[in-house]
Amino acid sequence: MLNWLDAAPRRVLALISAACVAMLAFGMYLQHVVGLEPCPMCIVQRYALIGVAVFAGLASARGQKGWWMGWGLLALATAGFGAFVAARQSWLQWYPPEFATCGRDFYGMIESYPISRAIPMIFRGSGDCAAVDWTFLGGSIANWSFICFVGIAVVLLALLARGLRARAA
């Protein structure tokens, strides 16, 4: 598999971008077909997936090593941010706050408060961020999201490390 990273880094990046689009489509399915409403942290994770998809897609667009490594680094940072948000939501689900309130929705927070107050409110979570509405093999959406973000980050990290090692040689 590591040889595939060396042989076709642009294909790996395109595959990462396609996987992110597939996960976004599954999120839309859960929302619009199953009827699950996303919490503020779920929406932030969606934006992180969009960022990873866009950055990985741009990285795969050109064959120049500096181009795909730069965009790949941004995709890695965005995947790390997504993993952080998913881990925080998983923690809230395992240890729910004593006073669970449903709070405002994501867009209500952004529209009503300055960004310096809205961002801490998003990460503080709310009653609906701590709720587990759907599970698969014992894991919630946040747990699976964390696993996906970490998997993407590991592949990107291996791809970038192999690219740097080839550049130094």
Side-chain angles (χ1 to χ4, degrees):
M1 174 159 161
L2 291 178
N3 291 334
W4 191 57
L5 291 175
D6 289 336
R10 291 175 60 195
R11 287 187 188 145
V12 173
L13 291 162
L15 184 62
I16 289 171
S17 184
C20 289
V21 170
M23 287 186 281
L24 286 166
F26 183 66
M28 292 293 129
Y29 166 79
L30 288 176
Q31 180 178 354
H32 296 290
V33 176
V34 177
L36 300 178
E37 283 300 316
C39 71
M41 292 180 123
C42 296
I43 293 171
V44 172
Q45 290 171 59
R46 283 186 186 179
Y47 283 131
L49 269 176
I50 291 168
V52 172
V54 168
F55 294 146
L58 285 170
S60 70
R62 290 178 54 188
Q64 295 173 335
K65 188 177 246 182
W67 173 271
W68 70 258
M69 286 188 71
W71 287 111
L73 191 60
L74 284 172
L76 176 63
T78 308
F81 173 72
F84 168 77
V85 175
R88 175 70 177 141
Q89 185 177 5
S90 292
W91 189 85
L92 284 171
Q93 289 174 350
W94 292 328
Y95 305 104
E98 283 185 39
F99 302 104
T101 61
C102 287
R104 292 175 158 265
D105 65 334
F106 178 77
Y107 299 106
M109 285 187 237
I110 298 297
E111 289 175 0
S112 301
Y113 296 102
I115 197 77
S116 61
R117 283 192 61 205
I119 289 179
M121 290 170 68
I122 291 168
F123 289 107
R124 201 171 306 127
S126 63
D128 40 35
C129 288
V132 178
D133 297 328
W134 181 89
T135 60
F136 178 71
L137 297 176
S140 69
I141 296 171
N143 302 143
W144 286 107
S145 179
F146 175 76
I147 290 170
C148 290
F149 276 121
V150 168
I152 289 168
V154 166
V155 171
L156 285 169
L157 194 60
L159 184 68
L160 292 170
R162 306 272 297 181
L164 281 175
R165 191 175 328 146
R167 179 181 242 177

Coordinates of all heavy atoms in Angstrom, one line a residue, residues 44-106:
V44 N -20.4 21.7 12.2 CA -19.0 22.1 12.1 C -18.2 20.9 11.5 O -17.3 21.1 10.7 CB -18.4 22.5 13.5 CG1 -16.9 22.6 13.5 CG2 -19.1 23.8 14.0
Q45 N -18.5 19.7 11.9 CA -17.9 18.5 11.3 C -18.2 18.4 9.8 O -17.3 18.0 9.0 CB -18.3 17.2 12.0 CG -17.8 17.1 13.4 CD -18.4 16.0 14.2 OE1 -18.3 14.8 13.7 NE2 -19.0 16.3 15.3
R46 N -19.4 18.8 9.4 CA -19.7 18.8 8.0 C -18.8 19.8 7.2 O -18.3 19.5 6.1 CB -21.2 19.1 7.7 CG -22.1 18.0 8.0 CD -23.5 18.4 7.6 NE -24.4 17.3 8.0 CZ -25.7 17.4 7.8 NH1 -26.3 18.5 7.3 NH2 -26.5 16.4 8.2
Y47 N -18.7 21.0 7.8 CA -17.8 22.0 7.2 C -16.4 21.5 7.1 O -15.7 21.8 6.1 CB -17.9 23.3 7.9 CG -19.1 24.1 7.6 CD1 -19.9 24.6 8.7 CD2 -19.6 24.3 6.3 CE1 -21.0 25.3 8.4 CE2 -20.7 25.0 6.1 CZ -21.5 25.5 7.1 OH -22.6 26.2 6.9
A48 N -15.9 20.8 8.1 CA -14.6 20.2 8.1 C -14.5 19.2 6.9 O -13.4 19.1 6.2 CB -14.2 19.6 9.4
L49 N -15.5 18.3 6.8 CA -15.5 17.4 5.7 C -15.5 18.1 4.3 O -14.7 17.7 3.4 CB -16.7 16.5 5.7 CG -16.6 15.2 6.5 CD1 -17.9 14.5 6.6 CD2 -15.5 14.3 5.9
I50 N -16.2 19.2 4.2 CA -16.2 20.0 3.0 C -14.8 20.5 2.7 O -14.3 20.4 1.6 CB -17.3 21.1 3.0 CG1 -18.7 20.5 3.0 CG2 -17.0 22.1 1.9 CD1 -19.8 21.5 3.3
G51 N -14.2 21.0 3.8 CA -12.8 21.6 3.6 C -11.8 20.5 3.2 O -11.0 20.7 2.3
V52 N -11.9 19.3 3.8 CA -11.0 18.2 3.4 C -11.2 17.8 2.0 O -10.3 17.6 1.2 CB -11.1 17.0 4.4 CG1 -10.3 15.8 3.9 CG2 -10.7 17.4 5.8
A53 N -12.5 17.7 1.6 CA -12.8 17.3 0.2 C -12.3 18.4 -0.8 O -11.7 18.0 -1.8 CB -14.4 17.2 0.1
V54 N -12.5 19.7 -0.5 CA -12.0 20.7 -1.4 C -10.5 20.7 -1.5 O -9.9 20.8 -2.6 CB -12.6 22.1 -1.0 CG1 -11.9 23.2 -1.7 CG2 -14.1 22.1 -1.2
F55 N -9.8 20.7 -0.3 CA -8.4 20.8 -0.3 C -7.8 19.5 -1.0 O -6.8 19.6 -1.7 CB -7.8 20.9 1.1 CG -8.2 22.3 1.7 CD1 -8.5 22.4 3.1 CD2 -8.3 23.4 1.0 CE1 -8.8 23.6 3.7 CE2 -8.6 24.6 1.6 CZ -8.9 24.7 2.9
A56 N -8.3 18.3 -0.7 CA -7.8 17.1 -1.3 C -8.1 17.1 -2.8 O -7.2 16.7 -3.6 CB -8.4 15.9 -0.6
G57 N -9.2 17.6 -3.2 CA -9.6 17.7 -4.6 C -8.6 18.7 -5.3 O -8.2 18.4 -6.4
L58 N -8.3 19.9 -4.7 CA -7.4 20.8 -5.3 C -6.0 20.2 -5.4 O -5.3 20.4 -6.3 CB -7.4 22.1 -4.5 CG -8.6 23.0 -4.7 CD1 -8.6 24.2 -3.7 CD2 -8.6 23.6 -6.1
A59 N -5.6 19.4 -4.3 CA -4.3 18.8 -4.3 C -4.2 17.8 -5.5 O -3.1 17.6 -6.0 CB -4.1 18.1 -3.0
S60 N -5.3 17.1 -5.8 CA -5.2 16.1 -6.9 C -5.3 16.7 -8.3 O -5.1 16.0 -9.2 CB -6.3 15.1 -6.7 OG -7.6 15.7 -6.9
A61 N -5.6 18.0 -8.3 CA -5.8 18.7 -9.6 C -4.6 18.8 -10.5 O -4.6 18.8 -11.7 CB -6.5 20.0 -9.4
R62 N -3.4 19.0 -9.9 CA -2.2 19.2 -10.6 C -1.1 18.3 -10.1 O -1.1 17.9 -8.9 CB -1.7 20.7 -10.5 CG -2.6 21.6 -11.2 CD -2.2 23.1 -11.1 NE -0.9 23.4 -11.4 CZ -0.3 24.5 -11.2 NH1 -1.0 25.5 -10.7 NH2 0.9 24.7 -11.6
G63 N -0.2 17.9 -11.0 CA 0.9 17.0 -10.7 C 2.1 17.6 -10.0 O 3.0 16.8 -9.6
Q64 N 2.2 18.9 -9.9 CA 3.4 19.5 -9.3 C 3.4 19.1 -7.8 O 2.5 19.3 -7.1 CB 3.4 21.0 -9.5 CG 3.5 21.4 -10.9 CD 3.3 22.9 -11.1 OE1 2.7 23.6 -10.3 NE2 3.9 23.4 -12.2
K65 N 4.6 18.7 -7.4 CA 4.7 18.2 -6.0 C 4.4 19.3 -5.0 O 3.8 19.0 -4.0 CB 6.1 17.6 -5.8 CG 6.2 16.9 -4.5 CD 7.6 16.3 -4.3 CE 7.4 14.8 -4.3 NZ 8.6 14.1 -4.1
G66 N 4.9 20.5 -5.2 CA 4.7 21.6 -4.3 C 3.2 21.9 -4.2 O 2.7 22.2 -3.1
W67 N 2.5 21.8 -5.3 CA 1.1 22.1 -5.3 C 0.3 21.1 -4.5 O -0.5 21.4 -3.6 CB 0.6 22.0 -6.8 CG -0.9 22.2 -6.9 CD1 -1.8 21.1 -7.0 CD2 -1.7 23.3 -7.1 NE1 -3.1 21.6 -7.1 CE2 -3.0 23.0 -7.2 CE3 -1.3 24.7 -7.2 CZ2 -4.0 23.9 -7.4 CZ3 -2.4 25.6 -7.3 CH2 -3.7 25.2 -7.4
W68 N 0.5 19.8 -4.8 CA -0.3 18.8 -4.0 C 0.1 18.7 -2.6 O -0.7 18.4 -1.7 CB -0.4 17.4 -4.8 CG 0.9 16.6 -4.8 CD1 1.7 16.5 -5.9 CD2 1.4 15.7 -3.8 NE1 2.7 15.6 -5.6 CE2 2.5 15.1 -4.3 CE3 1.0 15.4 -2.5 CZ2 3.3 14.2 -3.6 CZ3 1.7 14.5 -1.8 CH2 2.9 13.9 -2.3
M69 N 1.4 18.9 -2.3 CA 1.8 18.9 -0.9 C 1.2 20.0 -0.1 O 0.9 19.9 1.1 CB 3.3 18.8 -0.8 CG 3.8 17.4 -1.2 SD 5.6 17.2 -0.9 CE 5.6 17.1 0.8
G70 N 1.2 21.2 -0.7 CA 0.6 22.4 0.0 C -0.9 22.2 0.3 O -1.3 22.4 1.5
W71 N -1.6 21.8 -0.7 CA -3.1 21.6 -0.5 C -3.3 20.3 0.4 O -4.2 20.3 1.2 CB -3.8 21.4 -1.8 CG -3.9 22.7 -2.5 CD1 -3.3 23.0 -3.7 CD2 -4.7 23.8 -2.2 NE1 -3.7 24.3 -4.1 CE2 -4.5 24.8 -3.2 CE3 -5.6 24.1 -1.1 CZ2 -5.2 26.0 -3.1 CZ3 -6.2 25.3 -1.1 CH2 -6.0 26.3 -2.0
G72 N -2.4 19.3 0.3 CA -2.5 18.2 1.2 C -2.3 18.5 2.6 O -2.9 18.0 3.5
L73 N -1.4 19.5 2.9 CA -1.1 19.9 4.2 C -2.3 20.6 4.8 O -2.7 20.4 6.0 CB 0.1 20.8 4.3 CG 0.7 21.2 5.6 CD1 1.1 20.0 6.4 CD2 1.8 22.1 5.5
L74 N -3.0 21.4 4.0 CA -4.2 22.1 4.4 C -5.3 21.1 4.7 O -6.1 21.2 5.7 CB -4.7 23.1 3.4 CG -3.9 24.4 3.4 CD1 -4.4 25.3 2.2 CD2 -4.1 25.2 4.6
A75 N -5.4 20.0 3.9 CA -6.4 19.0 4.1 C -6.1 18.3 5.4 O -7.0 17.9 6.2 CB -6.4 18.0 2.9
L76 N -4.8 18.0 5.7 CA -4.4 17.4 6.9 C -4.8 18.2 8.1 O -5.4 17.7 9.1 CB -2.9 17.1 6.9 CG -2.3 16.5 8.2 CD1 -2.9 15.1 8.5 CD2 -0.8 16.5 8.1
A77 N -4.6 19.5 8.1 CA -5.0 20.4 9.2 C -6.5 20.4 9.4 O -7.0 20.4 10.5 CB -4.4 21.8 8.9
T78 N -7.2 20.4 8.3 CA -8.7 20.4 8.4 C -9.2 19.1 8.9 O -10.1 19.1 9.7 CB -9.3 20.7 7.0 OG1 -8.7 21.9 6.5 CG2 -10.8 20.9 7.1
A79 N -8.6 18.0 8.6 CA -9.0 16.7 9.1 C -8.7 16.6 10.6 O -9.4 16.1 11.4 CB -8.2 15.6 8.4
G80 N -7.5 17.2 11.0 CA -7.2 17.3 12.4 C -8.2 18.1 13.2 O -8.7 17.7 14.3
F81 N -8.7 19.2 12.6 CA -9.7 20.0 13.3 C -11.0 19.2 13.4 O -11.7 19.2 14.4 CB -9.9 21.3 12.5 CG -11.1 22.1 13.0 CD1 -11.0 22.8 14.2 CD2 -12.2 22.2 12.2 CE1 -12.1 23.6 14.6 CE2 -13.3 22.9 12.6 CZ -13.2 23.6 13.8
G82 N -11.4 18.5 12.3 CA -12.6 17.7 12.3 C -12.5 16.6 13.3 O -13.5 16.3 14.0
A83 N -11.4 16.0 13.5 CA -11.2 14.9 14.5 C -11.3 15.5 15.9 O -11.9 14.9 16.8 CB -9.8 14.3 14.3
F84 N -10.8 16.7 16.1 CA -11.0 17.4 17.4 C -12.4 17.6 17.7 O -12.9 17.3 18.9 CB -10.2 18.7 17.4 CG -10.5 19.6 18.6 CD1 -10.0 19.3 19.8 CD2 -11.3 20.7 18.5 CE1 -10.3 20.1 20.9 CE2 -11.6 21.5 19.6 CZ -11.1 21.2 20.8
V85 N -13.2 18.2 16.8 CA -14.6 18.5 17.0 C -15.4 17.2 17.3 O -16.2 17.1 18.2 CB -15.2 19.2 15.9 CG1 -16.7 19.4 16.1 CG2 -14.6 20.6 15.7
A86 N -15.1 16.1 16.5 CA -15.8 14.8 16.7 C -15.4 14.2 18.1 O -16.2 13.6 18.7 CB -15.4 13.9 15.6
A87 N -14.1 14.3 18.5 CA -13.7 13.8 19.8 C -14.4 14.6 20.9 O -14.8 14.0 21.9 CB -12.2 13.9 19.9
R88 N -14.5 15.9 20.8 CA -15.2 16.7 21.8 C -16.7 16.3 21.9 O -17.2 16.2 23.0 CB -15.1 18.2 21.4 CG -15.9 19.1 22.3 CD -15.3 19.1 23.7 NE -16.0 20.1 24.5 CZ -16.4 19.9 25.8 NH1 -16.0 18.9 26.4 NH2 -17.1 20.8 26.4
Q89 N -17.3 16.1 20.7 CA -18.7 15.6 20.8 C -18.9 14.2 21.4 O -19.8 14.0 22.1 CB -19.3 15.7 19.4 CG -20.8 15.4 19.4 CD -21.5 15.5 18.0 OE1 -20.8 15.7 17.0 NE2 -22.8 15.3 18.0
S90 N -17.9 13.4 21.0 CA -18.0 12.0 21.6 C -17.8 12.1 23.2 O -18.5 11.4 23.9 CB -16.9 11.1 21.1 OG -17.1 10.9 19.7
W91 N -16.9 13.0 23.6 CA -16.8 13.2 25.0 C -18.0 13.7 25.7 O -18.4 13.2 26.8 CB -15.6 14.1 25.3 CG -15.2 14.2 26.7 CD1 -14.4 13.4 27.4 CD2 -15.7 15.2 27.7 NE1 -14.3 13.8 28.7 CE2 -15.1 14.9 28.9 CE3 -16.5 16.3 27.6 CZ2 -15.3 15.6 30.0 CZ3 -16.8 17.0 28.7 CH2 -16.2 16.7 29.9
L92 N -18.7 14.6 25.0 CA -20.0 15.1 25.5 C -21.0 14.0 25.6 O -21.9 14.0 26.5 CB -20.5 16.3 24.7 CG -19.8 17.6 24.9 CD1 -20.3 18.6 23.8 CD2 -20.1 18.2 26.3
Q93 N -21.0 13.1 24.6 CA -22.0 12.0 24.7 C -21.7 11.0 25.8 O -22.6 10.5 26.3 CB -22.0 11.3 23.3 CG -22.6 12.2 22.2 CD -22.4 11.5 20.8 OE1 -21.7 10.6 20.6 NE2 -23.1 12.1 19.9
W94 N -20.4 10.8 26.1 CA -20.1 9.9 27.1 C -20.3 10.5 28.5 O -20.6 9.8 29.5 CB -18.6 9.4 27.0 CG -18.4 8.5 25.8 CD1 -19.3 7.6 25.2 CD2 -17.2 8.5 25.0 NE1 -18.7 7.0 24.2 CE2 -17.4 7.5 24.0 CE3 -16.0 9.1 25.1 CZ2 -16.5 7.2 23.0 CZ3 -15.0 8.8 24.1 CH2 -15.3 7.9 23.1
Y95 N -20.0 11.8 28.6 CA -20.2 12.5 29.9 C -21.1 13.7 29.6 O -20.6 14.9 29.6 CB -18.8 13.0 30.4 CG -17.8 11.8 30.5 CD1 -16.8 11.7 29.6 CD2 -17.9 10.9 31.6 CE1 -15.9 10.6 29.7 CE2 -17.1 9.9 31.7 CZ -16.0 9.7 30.8 OH -15.2 8.7 30.9
P96 N -22.4 13.5 29.5 CA -23.3 14.6 29.2 C -23.3 15.7 30.3 O -23.1 15.4 31.5 CB -24.6 14.0 29.1 CG -24.5 12.6 29.6 CD -23.1 12.2 29.7
P97 N -23.5 16.9 29.9 CA -23.5 18.0 30.9 C -24.7 17.8 31.9 O -25.7 17.2 31.5 CB -23.7 19.3 30.1 CG -24.0 18.8 28.8 CD -23.7 17.4 28.6
E98 N -24.6 18.2 33.1 CA -25.6 18.1 34.1 C -26.9 18.8 33.7 O -28.0 18.3 33.9 CB -25.2 18.6 35.5 CG -24.2 17.7 36.2 CD -23.9 18.2 37.6 OE1 -24.8 18.8 38.3 OE2 -22.7 18.1 38.0
F99 N -26.7 20.0 33.2 CA -27.9 20.8 32.8 C -27.9 20.8 31.3 O -27.4 21.7 30.7 CB -27.8 22.2 33.4 CG -27.7 22.2 34.9 CD1 -26.5 22.4 35.5 CD2 -28.9 21.9 35.6 CE1 -26.4 22.4 36.9 CE2 -28.8 21.9 37.0 CZ -27.6 22.2 37.6
A100 N -28.6 19.8 30.7 CA -28.7 19.7 29.2 C -29.8 20.7 28.7 O -30.9 20.5 29.1 CB -29.0 18.3 28.8
T101 N -29.4 21.6 27.9 CA -30.4 22.5 27.3 C -30.2 22.3 25.8 O -29.1 22.0 25.3 CB -30.1 23.9 27.6 OG1 -28.8 24.3 27.1 CG2 -30.2 24.2 29.1
C102 N -31.3 22.5 25.1 CA -31.2 22.3 23.6 C -30.5 23.5 23.0 O -30.0 23.4 21.9 CB -32.6 22.1 23.0 SG -33.2 20.5 23.4
G103 N -30.4 24.6 23.6 CA -29.7 25.8 23.1 C -30.1 26.2 21.7 O -31.1 25.8 21.2
R104 N -29.3 27.1 21.2 CA -29.6 27.7 19.9 C -29.1 26.8 18.8 O -28.1 26.0 19.0 CB -29.0 29.1 19.7 CG -29.6 30.1 20.6 CD -28.8 31.4 20.4 NE -29.7 32.5 20.7 CZ -30.3 33.2 19.9 NH1 -30.3 32.9 18.6 NH2 -31.1 34.2 20.3
D105 N -29.6 26.9 17.6 CA -29.0 26.2 16.5 C -27.7 26.9 16.0 O -27.4 28.1 16.4 CB -30.0 26.0 15.3 CG -30.4 27.4 14.7 OD1 -30.3 28.4 15.4 OD2 -30.8 27.3 13.5
F106 N -27.0 26.3 15.2 CA -25.7 26.8 14.7 C -25.8 28.2 14.1 O -25.1 29.1 14.4 CB -25.1 25.8 13.7 CG -23.8 26.3 13.1 CD1 -22.6 26.2 13.8 CD2 -23.7 26.8 11.8 CE1 -21.4 26.6 13.3 CE2 -22.5 27.1 11.3 CZ -21.4 27.0 12.0

